[in-house]
Amino acid sequence: MTTTPPEEPSDPEAGGSRLDIDPRLVAVAVALFLGFGGILLSDGIGRLLAPALASAGVQVSPIGSILLSLFVVQVLGLGGVSAAYLAYRGDFGFVKWGVPDLRDAVWVVVGWVLMYVGVIAVSIAASAAGVTPARNSIADVGAQDPTVFLVLIPAAILIIGPFEELLYRGVIQERLTEAFTPYAAIALASIVFGLAHATSFVGSSSGLVVSLAAIAVIAVVPAVSYQQTRNLVVPALIHGLFDATQFGLNYVLYRFFPDLASEATGGAAVLLDLLVV
């Protein structure tokens, strides 16, 4: 008596049998689709929302505009894409998270420090190459009204860190780990994370490359912390605290030392630009 072996389960993301397409290519395609999908979704919502507010006669202050933009990009864009993908998979447990313990707390502190080590390392390399990073467009708003940075400090911890890590670590990195080794998935997720920030900067093409490379390099830290702790709260806190510190430093810079950035040269100028990033 012979038996027929069970068929391989199909991969809905590959459009059929898993043997049709290399699962690694499918995973990378899904990662790119999700990584840029959140940005494109928020851009589409913003294009609809702006004229709607204008036609309703609503005038939004610069600070209100940034907060509204954060809500659209982070919550609706990144959060919406994450929720849609998890619903598509039918597995909201795909993202690993829980109440942090002492080990998680150590990872948060060490991760925060390592992100600054990464910024300094990239600044040294950029300075040696004679390239000035592109600037985050939010710095232009903050230069006019440093109070913007104070508002962004709690937003970094409560909105930016959680929602960016939800998509790029909890969803994208987890998806890549299904097809790659954990650390290959970390590298790929960090690259996607860096590329997705391309629209946030202004400057030369070489400066843009430096800025995106800096983001990809420091993104490895929360990515590794997620892989090691299996708790999304850890990278969300690392990311949020790092950004909050950045905004605090920028508030001090623009509020009390507005001429410092323009007077800095060489490595100091590169480091200041990367801190603004």
Side-chain angles (χ1 to χ4, degrees):
M1 179 179 178
T2 61
T3 60
T4 302
E7 293 184 357
E8 291 272 351
S10 62
D11 182 353
E13 291 173 357
S17 170
R18 290 188 298 180
L19 300 178
D20 293 342
I21 304 175
D22 189 327
R24 292 171 297 182
L25 294 178
V26 175
V28 171
V30 171
L32 290 170
F33 176 77
L34 294 174
F36 287 96
I39 304 299
L40 293 174
L41 175 61
S42 61
D43 181 68
I45 294 173
R47 291 177 183 274
L48 294 174
L49 186 60
L53 291 175
S55 62
V58 177
Q59 294 185 345
V60 183
S61 67
I63 292 178
S65 177
I66 288 179
L67 291 176
L68 181 61
S69 176
L70 276 179
F71 178 78
V72 170
V73 173
Q74 306 289 339
V75 180
L76 299 183
L78 307 190
V81 165
S82 298
Y85 180 73
L86 294 175
Y88 166 75
R89 290 184 66 103
D91 181 14
F92 283 89
F94 184 68
V95 177
K96 310 300 186 293
W97 68 280
V99 178
D101 56 20
L102 180 59
R103 178 172 177 268
D104 294 335
V106 171
W107 265 104
V108 170
V109 175
V110 172
W112 178 84
V113 173
L114 288 177
M115 288 188 78
Y116 274 98
V117 171
V119 168
I120 293 171
V122 174
S123 73
I124 293 173
S127 178
V131 179
T132 300
R135 295 174 65 82
N136 193 310
S137 55
I138 199 171
D140 296 330
V141 179
Q144 301 298 320
D145 182 7
T147 307
V148 167
F149 294 119
L150 293 180
V151 174
L152 288 172
I153 290 175
I157 299 172
L158 299 175
I159 300 176
I160 299 174
F163 283 96
E164 289 198 7
E165 293 305 310
L166 170 63
L167 177 59
Y168 292 98
R169 246 59 70 181
V171 173
I172 291 177
Q173 186 174 317
E174 280 283 355
R175 178 63 183 89
L176 289 167
T177 303
E178 292 181 330
F180 294 90
T181 65
Y183 289 98
I186 286 170
L188 291 169
S190 298
I191 291 171
V192 173
F193 181 77
L195 292 175
H197 283 74
T199 57
S200 300
F201 296 95
V202 292
S204 65
S205 57
S206 59
L208 177 61
V209 170
V210 171
S211 296
L212 298 185
I215 289 176
V217 167
I218 63 177
V220 170
V221 175
V224 170
S225 76
Y226 179 63
Q227 177 60 36
Q228 291 297 315
T229 63
R230 309 305 293 154
N231 186 353
L232 188 70
V233 176
V234 174
L237 283 173
I238 293 173
H239 188 157
L241 290 171
F242 175 80
D243 282 0
T245 306
Q246 297 286 80
F247 293 135
L249 290 173
N250 276 279
Y251 173 77
V252 172
L253 177 68
Y254 285 99
R255 175 68 177 82
F256 300 105
F257 309 99
D259 297 328
L260 180 59
S262 61
E263 294 174 357
T265 59
V270 172
L271 179 58
L272 282 175
D273 283 330
L274 286 174
L275 289 176
V276 173
V277 170

